[in-house]
Amino acid sequence: MGTIRKIVEGALFPMLTLVAGQSGMYRKVTGINVVESIDLIMFCRPNELVVTTGINFPHQNSSLEQLVKLAYTKKVAGFIVNTGPFIPDIPESVITFANEHDFPIFQMPWDCRVADLLKTTFQFIANHQQEQSTEDKILFNLLFHFKQHAESIKQNLAQLGFPPSSEFAIITCTTTDAQSRIDRYEVMIQFAFQNRYKRLLRLKHKNHLIFLIDRAQINTPNIPYSKTVEEIYDKITQKNSSLNVIIGKGNFYKDYENIRKSYDESLTVIQLAQLHNNRFLYKYKEIGAYKIIMGVQNRTLIESFSQDILGQLHQYDDLHNTDYSTFLRIFLEENGSTSKISERQFIHRNTVLYKIKKIEMLLDMDLNNPFTKTNLYMAFLIEDVLTHQ
């Protein structure tokens, strides 16, 4: 994918100097447009670079600032100022705005031709579209048609910098509701993983954003994977005021044949995290008791265990239209904290205590007993697995 970051790091754009908005380097670039009048900003499209010389500006500083702000509202990728007789310098107000809004601003010297910049940008976009198409095909065949393309896939991965000795894993990202599309967060997510991994392949499949990663090719080995995911979640929450994205990672495998298994594991993490409403479930190797439950061949045994523990409570809820089963799960998740349960359920502390006593009576159990809590939590995990299957 062509991004501001690739422009900054690439050799095609020595004429450009990034002067502001460095935190916006994840922005995708799909085109370029020359705008010499504020009235013409209406013709710009999202993800385009905007270039100006200021030749038609009535007031140098105020006109440039107004144009930059309008360009930002149009969701363009970034702004290039061709400094010279019409715009000698980029005003501090423009730089401040760009830094505050993570909006990349480039400076280009007057002796560099805008026509050459346009030609180079078109070449850059075409090259990256072709590269992405090739990478998409390789990863798609690796996951879904490996046997038919085994040798070519191995050769292609080696050419892309993934040696045969690599240990591979799959990261899958998707949205939690059918109305949202992962495309909305694609650039932000890819930017975060590009910062973490030296090399990765990316594929969009249905509403999944899928990454192939190499265990050995990590830029930030001292930062846990979970922190990278949490940073993505925090940015999405800040943008939306809620989190509607979930990310799961499968185990690492040396054999190409098992990469599909890593993909399936990443989907399992996502499904379990959604069922359990647990944003802190990141990796397949951390799913803990879920893994043991899923490994039990005797389905009747675990169904019976769950029914013996929770059946009476579910039956009471069904007959009396109550929510004690839901409350009990929250009780376990909050480790019995009356204040936390009260805040989460928007109910008075006395109501919390009443419900605890009622559940203890219905189940004939002491909810303060650690062994009882373990059995209850295991029963809920079994329900998650059975619902998933």
Side-chain angles (χ1 to χ4, degrees), residues 68-111:
V68 167
K69 290 180 177 179
L70 287 171
Y72 174 77
T73 64
K74 295 289 287 185
K75 301 185 184 300
V76 305
F79 205 97
I80 301 172
V81 182
N82 191 194
T83 52
F86 306 107
I87 306 177
D89 296 295
I90 301 175
E92 192 61 37
S93 60
V94 172
I95 292 175
T96 300
F97 174 84
N99 286 329
E100 288 176 349
H101 294 83
D102 300 335
F103 185 50
I105 302 286
F106 290 94
Q107 182 175 353
M108 186 174 77
W110 185 252
D111 58 359

Side-chain angles (χ1 to χ4, degrees), residues 326-340:
T326 301
F327 177 87
L328 177 58
R329 184 155 197 163
I330 293 171
F331 170 87
L332 296 170
E333 290 173 355
E334 299 297 347
N335 198 28
S337 170
T338 304
S339 59
K340 290 182 179 179

Side-chain angles (χ1 to χ4, degrees), residues 295-328:
V296 175
Q297 299 298 316
N298 189 339
R299 298 287 92 179
T300 303
L301 175 65
I302 61 174
E303 287 176 9
S304 174
F305 174 85
S306 179
Q307 180 64 26
D308 289 345
I309 298 292
L310 295 173
Q312 185 73 21
L313 200 60
H314 288 318
Q315 185 177 8
Y316 187 90
D317 281 343
D318 290 341
L319 288 173
H320 299 88
N321 196 28
T322 52
D323 64 347
Y324 288 119
S325 298
T326 301
F327 177 87
L328 177 58

